[in-house]
């Protein structure tokens, strides 16, 4: 039986990101993927939000995505688009990039970190005991791991086998998405009628002045709302043709499908993100309508929250109780995403009363304070973890400041490339001593004379010192004393080393 410290089920964006995070921490991790390769038939997700781009920048790989995608303002709610260009972040925009490219780039990074991926195998069951998990596969010998993480999608076998409940709401609407050849040219772009939203586009496109310009020829990407909630079975070309005829009066001669899929507005969330040595992340932990493009981004950020915590537990640096903070921090984030997508789906209804509500919402979101609040929420820039009361920075993402240090200028995010915690001393050089944690926390003396500003909050008082977790969130703020620092270091990075 092959052994690994952690086995991840699923090599989608969440599983790949988690694999990379664990590898950076020096953990023996392997990924099991049912597909024969990383090739992806179809791409539901089509972009990255600002906070996810920041996460990738923290690991030094954002440029790989930016070089292939289309920078654009992609955040929105209820049909209202938000402009983030005035937000205090280097990445005050989103990125148009199909999921198959996102996965390919992430897989390349994971390969550089020497993470093995068992392609063509699927987790079919597991049994956990006091020291680990025996993982059964559809092919090949079973695996033994200290921990198993289910990143295996909305129909997660890991979640079901763990007996974790998945409460929520059944679908009220469904839509088909596909890539097909068409004998006739459909009207490209997004359209609405009494049925709801439907759209036609091309895989090859560019974004100019926030407008999509499609290439000529080639297969057509289709999204069409179905007249009734579709069956749970895999959709067919006939299903697509019937849906198009109902909505558009013609199917435009659709033929030769490359892929066809169905999504609904079902909204469910795992009651617990952890059962002893089994954890969930991404769609395995939460599913919802694609409104707002939240799914992939929420999953990647799940992985970055979980990775360093799981690594510290595996390595014995921190007690197992640290894993409880994963559910405590990430469950509320996804719960809010579910709420927002359900509200957005409700606003898509085409009756006159719902349209009136939508007009009122659009008017409200055109005001400055609501615009900033919702834009920060939809882009992930306002995520706040409860790490205690105090300075506004606590529990929020650390701004990517340009620091002056004894070794020269440094960006904050460059200090996080190896996914290690950082204690930033902005006061008297050498005034902070963290010797008992020096083996696991970087201590950097620096200065920053500029304004400290957070999205949707504005300017905040300049701290004297900041303790930054590997996921980029602030765990402690020094305001002239070291009160609480030892407790914060112990809570998040384990007890002090003894002589």
């Amino acid at each position: 039986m092959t052994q690994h410290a952690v086995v991840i089920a699923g090599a989608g964006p969440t599983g790949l990101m988690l694999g990379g995070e664990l590898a950076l921490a020096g953990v023996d991790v392997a990924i099991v993927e049912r597909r024969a390769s990383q090739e992806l038939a179809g791409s539901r997700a089509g972009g990255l939000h600002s906070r996810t781009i920041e996460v990738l920048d923290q690991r030094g790989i954002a440029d790989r995505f930016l070089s292939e995608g289309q920078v654009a303002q992609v955040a929105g709610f209820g049909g209202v688009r938000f402009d983030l260009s005035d937000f205090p972040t280097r990445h005050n925009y989103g990125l148009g990039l199909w999921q198959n490219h996102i996965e390919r780039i992430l897989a390349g990074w994971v390969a550089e970190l020497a993470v093995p991926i068992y392609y063509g195998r699927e987790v079919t069951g597991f049994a956990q005991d006091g020291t680990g998990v025996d993982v059964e596969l559809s092919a090949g010998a079973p695996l033994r791991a200290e921990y198993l993480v289910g990143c295996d999608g909305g129909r997660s076998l890991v979640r079901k086998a763990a007996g974790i409940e998945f409460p929520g709401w059944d679908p009220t609407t469904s839509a088909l998405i596909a890539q097909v050849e068409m004998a006739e040219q459909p009207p490209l772009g997004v359209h609405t009628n009494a049925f709801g939203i439907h759209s036609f586009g091309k895989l090859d496109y560019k974004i100019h002045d926030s407008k999509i310009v499609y290439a000529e020829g080639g297969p057509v990407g289709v999204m069409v709302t179905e007249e009734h909630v579709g069956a749970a079975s895999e959709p067919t070309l006939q299903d697509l043709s019937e849906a198009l005829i109902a909505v558009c009066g013609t199917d435009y001669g659709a033929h030769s499908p490359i892929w066809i899929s169905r999504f609904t507005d079902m909204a469910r969330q795992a009651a617990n993100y952890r059962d002893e040595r089994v954890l969930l992340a991404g769609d395995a932990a939460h599913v919802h309508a694609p409104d707002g493009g939240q799914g992939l981004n929420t999953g990647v950020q799940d992985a970055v929250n979980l990775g360093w915590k799981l690594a510290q537990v595996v390595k014995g640096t921190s007690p197992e109780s640290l894993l409880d903070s994963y559910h405590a921090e990430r469950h509320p984030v996804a719960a809010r995403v579910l709420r927002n997508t359900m509200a957005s789906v409700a606003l898509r209804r085409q009756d006159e009363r719902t349209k009136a509500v939508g007009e009122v919402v659009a008017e409200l979101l055109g005001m400055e304070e609501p615009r900033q609040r919702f834009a920060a929420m939809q882009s992930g820039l306002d995520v706040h973890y409860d790490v205690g009361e105090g300075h506004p920075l606590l529990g929020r993402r650390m701004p990517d400041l340009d620091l002056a240090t004894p070794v020269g200028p440094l960006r904050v995010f460059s200090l996080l490339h190896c996914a290690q915690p950082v204690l930033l001393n902005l006061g008297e050089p050498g005034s902070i001593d963290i010797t008992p944690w020096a083996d696991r926390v970087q201590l950097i003396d620096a200065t920053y004379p500029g304004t400290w500003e957070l999205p949707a909050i504005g300017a905040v008082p300049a701290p004297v010192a900041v303790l930054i977790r590997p996921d980029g969130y602030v765990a402690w703020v020094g305001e002239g004393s070291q009160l609480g620092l030892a407790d914060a270091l112990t809570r998040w990075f384990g007890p002090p080393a003894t002589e």
Side-chain angles (χ1 to χ4, degrees), residues 52 70 99 104 203 217 224 248 256 331 411 419:
T52 306
Q70 295 284 327
Q99 182 175 336
R104 171 176 50 77
L203 276 180
V224 58
C248 305
S256 306
H331 193 277
R411 286 174 50 197

Side-chain angles (χ1 to χ4, degrees), residues 108-407:
W109 175 59
V110 167
E112 292 170 13
L113 297 171
V115 177
I117 301 179
Y118 297 102
Y119 286 109
R121 305 185 198 181
E122 187 173 6
V123 174
T124 57
F126 62 84
Q128 58 174 319
D129 54 42
T131 60
V133 187
D134 292 327
V135 184
E136 296 292 332
L137 305 181
S138 59
L143 301 175
R144 174 74 176 177
E146 294 179 47
Y147 288 89
L148 169 66
V149 186
C151 301
D152 51 342
R155 299 175 183 175
S156 171
L157 181 141
V158 172
R159 185 189 66 240
K160 294 173 183 175
I164 297 174
E165 295 183 1
F166 203 43
W169 296 267
D170 291 331
T172 64
T173 183
S174 67
L176 297 174
I177 53 175
Q179 290 174 12
V180 295
E181 298 288 345
M182 287 186 161
E184 305 170 30
Q185 175 73 25
L188 300 180
V190 180
H191 313 277
T192 59
N193 60 16
F195 283 84
I197 297 175
H198 58 284
S199 65
F200 303 95
K202 301 290 183 67
L203 276 180
D204 295 326
Y205 66 91
K206 293 186 179 298
I207 299 175
H208 294 294
D209 297 327
S210 295
K211 294 182 179 179
I212 299 175
V213 179
Y214 296 106
E216 295 291 333
V220 177
V222 179
M223 194 281 284
V224 58
T225 302
E226 296 183 278
E227 185 173 6
H228 305 290
V229 177
S233 58
E234 290 298 319
T236 64
L237 179 60
Q238 183 176 347
D239 292 331
L240 179 65
S241 178
E242 291 175 354
L244 284 169
I245 291 171
V247 171
C248 305
T250 175
D251 65 359
Y252 300 99
H255 65 92
S256 306
I258 300 171
W259 61 273
I260 305 175
S261 185
R262 173 180 283 119
F263 69 85
T264 74
D265 66 335
M266 179 175 69
R268 295 188 179 278
Q269 186 177 21
N272 296 291
Y273 282 14
R274 176 186 169 214
D275 176 58
E276 300 296 335
R277 292 179 173 272
V278 177
L279 300 109
L280 304 174
D283 289 354
H286 40 76
V287 297
H288 49 81
D291 295 58
Q294 303 289 294
L296 184 154
N297 291 269
T298 305
V300 167
Q301 292 173 45
D302 285 346
V304 176
N305 183 283
L306 174 60
W308 64 275
K309 297 173 181 177
L310 184 54
Q312 290 182 183
V313 172
V314 166
K315 295 165 75 173
T317 304
S318 293
E320 193 175 309
S321 58
L322 179 63
L323 294 177
D324 294 337
S325 69
Y326 168 58
H327 172 95
E329 293 182 345
R330 293 305 297 172
H331 193 277
V333 172
R336 187 173 65 165
V337 171
L338 263 65
R339 182 202 69 177
N340 291 347
T341 56
M342 287 193 292
S344 185
V345 168
L347 288 172
R348 280 202 266 117
R349 295 175 185 141
Q350 295 300 303
D351 62 275
E352 293 304 316
R353 287 178 172 79
T354 302
K355 287 181 180 179
V357 173
E359 291 172 359
V360 171
V361 169
E363 185 175 341
L364 289 171
L365 294 180
M367 301 175 184
E368 185 59 13
E369 197 278 338
R371 190 271 303 186
Q372 288 210 19
R373 182 182 296 267
F374 271 71
M377 178 172 62
Q378 292 299 99
S379 61
L381 292 174
D382 76 334
V383 171
H384 177 220
Y385 300 138
D386 182 8
V387 301
E389 297 181 355
H391 195 282
L393 279 169
L394 278 171
R396 292 186 167 90
R397 84 195 217 299
M398 176 67 185
D400 184 23
L401 308 177
D402 289 308
L403 304 172
T405 77
V407 297

